Every structure is written in structure tokens, then in C-alpha cells.
């Protein structure tokens, strides 16, 4: 079992039609046909959307994405039309709302990896490959790869795992031209993000993007280079050979898998509520990532 511990009821807003409840975002459509994305403070871990929220998380994700969209604007366009809160929406939507173009989305998680960890490490240990790409011997958890690689995945429903697939499978599903565009755009944005983050003392280990088409133009969508979509590591603590400290859900995952939570991941029971200390430390990590990357204070 997995999914929502307590699935929220979406707010009804005049002039908006609710389309979808995701792990973090609520998706609406306005009368002009544009999409309205609202980032909640929900937290997910181990394929569960937890019953405890992390205050300000949705605003951090939204504001960091907007900052990154500016940093990569010369590489490709994004889907944002406005950050205005729709008339009649609650005041709490401020800072967490994006009005976006409706795109023809590509059904692929476009993943770039510059370091070996996570599901890539599992595959590498088994076959010395990641998504079918051969890698050299001697790599370990946290090793930097010889060059960034494009390792796509299928997009899974809430509560299910994305599944890594080969480039050839992506080309079969979406066509060779689109697959080539995805790979080029993914590696270009990753490389830009990696270099900017490195200048700020942060390693961008890997990240995932979503893309869609506006006519014939490839557009980057959803969130970009946030702690929810990326693995950020403090460069001063990087030490290959074991799991690295990170700017994301580390405190949440560590607590859920500790004896203190009383939760068994392999059971069919949903995870428990998070203690306040874990909430506070996780919020602080998201804000630290925002401040270190953007060079501005969170307020």
C-alpha cells in the first residue's frame, strides 16, 4: 500500500475547475484555459504523502523554481504566465501559485545524473550500467560520473515508483526527435544548474524535469531544480563511499526508518505523523537550500 495517508479535499474557487491532486501540487484550470498550479506544504516519502505538512515548503519550491527559470531562460522557455493569485482564491495561495500555459506534456521523467546514488547506484552495483548506459568500474555511492548522463524514467501515479527506462525505450514511446530534444535540454539545464550550485558550495547530484510542447516548441514545466526534484549535497561534506547529507527529506526519511517512529516500511500501515523537531529541521533545510542557491534571505 501507498499513496495519501489523508487525501485532502481540493478548495473550490470561483472561475477555476479542479483537475488533479498531486503529491504536492493542486492543479486547476481557469476560464481562459490556462493551468493554475498551487504548491502545498505536503511532504512525501517512501511513496506515501504524509499526514504532516512542512510550513512554507510550497512557497520555497515555487520561489526557487521561479529563480531557476530566470537562470535558464536563455536555454529554453518555461510555462509560467503569471504569479498572480486568481480572484476569489484564498490569501494563503500567495507565493505558491503559478498560472501556466497548457502544454502537450511529454510522458517522461527527464532525469540527469552527475553523481552515482539512489536507484542508479542499485543498477550500477548489479550490472555496471544506469538505464543501460555502461559506466566504469570502481564507482561507489556518491562518486562523480565521468560526464552527466540522461537517465529517463516513466511517470508514475501517486503512491507508485517511477521506473527507469533506456533512451531507446523513450525514443520508441515519444519518437526519436522528441527523445533527442529531451536529452539535449535535460543535460543543458542540469549542467547550468550544476555550475551555479557549485559556485555556491552545493553539489547537484541529480535532478528530474518535466517537459511539454507549446506547438512545436519544447518548454520546461512544473518545478525545476528544487529540493523536491533534485539531490543537493553540501560540497564541503561530500565524501564518496556512503550516503551524503542532503537538502531535502533526509530528516523525514531518517526518522521514519528509525525505531522511534514505530513504523515498518514493509507493512501495509501508513506512516505516522512527524514530530515537531523533524518538521522544524526539515523546514530549515529547505530554506537553507533556497538561501544558499539564490543568495537572498527567506522572509
Amino acid at each position: 500500500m501507498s499513496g495519501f495517508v489523508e487525501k485532502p479535499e481540493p478548495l473550490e474557487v470561483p472561475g477555476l475547475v479542479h483537475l488533479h491532486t498531486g503529491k504536492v501540487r493542486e492543479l486547476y484550470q481557469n476560464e481562459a484555459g490556462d493551468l493554475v498550479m498551487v504548491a502545498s506544504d505536503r511532504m512525501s516519502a517512501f511513496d506515501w504523502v504524509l499526514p504532516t505538512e512542512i510550513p512554507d515548503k510550497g512557497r520555497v519550491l515555487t520561489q526557487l523554481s521561479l529563480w531557476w527559470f530566470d537562470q535558464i531562460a536563455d536555454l529554453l522557455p518555461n510555462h509560467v504566465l503569471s504569479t498572480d493569485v486568481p480572484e476569489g482564491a484564498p490569501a494563503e495561495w500567495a507565493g505558491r501559485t503559478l498560472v501556466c500555459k497548457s502544454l502537450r506534456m511529454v510522458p517522461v521523467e527527464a532525469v540527469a545524473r552527475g553523481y552515482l546514488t539512489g536507484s542508479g547506484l542499485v543498477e550500477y552495483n548489479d550490472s555496471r550500467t544506469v538505464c543501460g548506459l555502461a559506466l566504469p568500474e570502481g564507482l561507489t555511492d556518491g562518486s562523480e560520473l565521468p560526464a552527466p548522463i540522461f537517465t529517463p524514467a516513466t511517470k508514475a501515479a501517486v503512491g507508485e515508483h517511477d521506473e527507469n527506462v533506456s533512451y531507446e525505450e523513450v525514443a520508441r514511446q515519444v519518437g526519436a526527435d522528441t527523445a533527442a530534444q529531451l536529452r539535449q535540454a535535460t543535460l543543458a539545464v542540469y549542467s547550468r544548474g550544476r555550475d551555479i550550485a557549485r559556485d555556491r558550495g552545493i553539489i547537484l547530484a541529480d535532478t528530474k524535469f518535466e517537459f511539454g510542447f507549446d506547438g512545436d516548441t519544447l518548454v520546461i514545466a512544473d518545478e525545476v531544480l528544487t529540493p523536491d526534484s533534485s539531490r543537493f549535497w553540501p560540497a564541503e561534506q561530500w565524501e564518496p563511499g556512503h550516503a551524503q547529507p542532503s537538502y531535502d527529506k533526509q530528516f523525514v526519511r531518517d526518522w521514519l526508518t528509525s525505531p522511534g517512529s514505530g513504523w515498518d516500511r514493509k507493512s501495509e500501515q501508513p506512516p505516522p505523523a512527524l514530530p515537531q523537531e523533524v518538521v522544524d529541521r526539515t523546514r530549515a533545510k529547505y530554506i537553507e537550500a533556497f538561501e544558499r542557491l539564490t543568495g537572498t534571505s527567506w522572509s
Side-chain angles (χ1 to χ4, degrees):
M1 279 186 66
S2 53
F4 288 91
V5 175
E6 301 169 4
K7 188 168 184 178
E9 286 293 327
L11 293 174
E12 294 187 9
V13 178
L16 299 183
V17 176
H18 183 262
L19 300 178
H20 179 66
T21 294
K23 289 181 179 179
V24 174
R25 287 166 183 78
E26 299 288 349
L27 187 62
Y28 296 81
Q29 188 172 47
N30 64 21
E31 293 173 340
D34 303 320
L35 298 181
V36 180
M37 288 175 32
V38 185
S40 74
D41 293 333
R42 294 192 290 268
M43 170 64 74
S44 63
F46 304 119
D47 298 320
W48 284 96
V49 180
L50 306 178
T52 311
E53 295 188 339
I54 307 298
D56 286 326
K57 176 173 173 281
R59 288 189 176 91
V60 169
L61 299 181
T62 302
Q63 298 308 309
L64 188 55
S65 288
L66 288 168
W67 185 83
W68 278 115
F69 283 141
D70 286 343
Q71 310 309 308
I72 63 171
D74 60 315
L75 298 179
L76 78 169
N78 64 71
H79 66 159
V80 179
L81 296 172
S82 168
T83 58
D84 295 338
V85 176
E87 186 175 347
E92 68 173 20
W93 281 20
R96 61 176 76 239
T97 300
L98 299 178
V99 181
C100 305
K101 290 180 182 178
S102 182
L103 305 174
R104 178 169 52 87
M105 298 302 294
V106 182
V108 173
E109 291 280 3
V111 179
R113 300 175 191 268
Y115 293 75
L116 187 64
T117 193
S119 62
L121 176 65
V122 174
E123 181 183 336
Y124 173 83
N125 285 339
D126 182 56
S127 62
R128 296 297 182 265
T129 64
V130 177
C131 289
L133 297 173
L135 293 175
E137 294 282 344
L139 302 181
T140 187
D141 193 355
S143 290
E144 184 172 9
L145 301 178
I149 56 176
F150 176 60
T151 57
T154 57
K155 293 172 68 172
V158 174
E160 298 180 9
H161 278 300
D162 293 341
E163 183 177 342
N164 293 345
V165 294
S166 67
Y167 178 78
E168 290 72 22
E169 176 61 19
V170 171
R172 188 189 69 79
Q173 290 186 17
V174 303
D177 289 346
T178 296
Q181 288 187 68
L182 288 180
R183 179 166 60 185
Q184 188 278 330
T186 297
L187 293 177
V189 176
Y190 170 81
S191 296
R192 175 71 56 82
R194 175 201 60 196
D195 293 347
I196 290 173
R198 183 179 289 159
D199 288 343
R200 288 153 171 79
I202 292 177
I203 289 172
L204 174 59
D206 55 38
T207 190
K208 64 179 179 180
F209 307 116
E210 293 197 30
F211 294 97
F213 280 96
D214 180 16
D216 293 330
T217 301
L218 188 69
V219 176
I220 193 165
D222 198 47
E223 62 184 324
V224 61
L225 295 168
T226 72
D228 269 16
S229 65
S230 315
R231 281 189 178 92
F232 291 116
W233 299 336
E236 68 273 13
Q237 297 180 55
W238 175 54
E239 185 180 56
H242 55 80
Q244 310 298 310
S246 60
Y247 289 97
D248 57 4
K249 311 169 186 180
Q250 179 183 349
F251 293 123
V252 172
R253 293 192 188 101
D254 289 351
W255 183 78
L256 286 172
T257 55
S258 74
S261 75
W263 182 57
D264 180 2
R265 276 185 65 188
K266 298 178 181 178
S267 74
E268 294 190 353
Q269 296 301 310
L274 301 176
Q276 190 62 45
E277 179 189 7
V278 173
V279 171
D280 293 343
R281 294 176 75 186
T282 302
R283 177 182 182 273
K285 269 299 177 190
Y286 275 78
I287 290 173
E288 183 185 349
F290 174 88
E291 292 183 337
R292 286 192 68 171
L293 287 166
T294 68
T296 59
S297 296
W298 178 256
S299 58

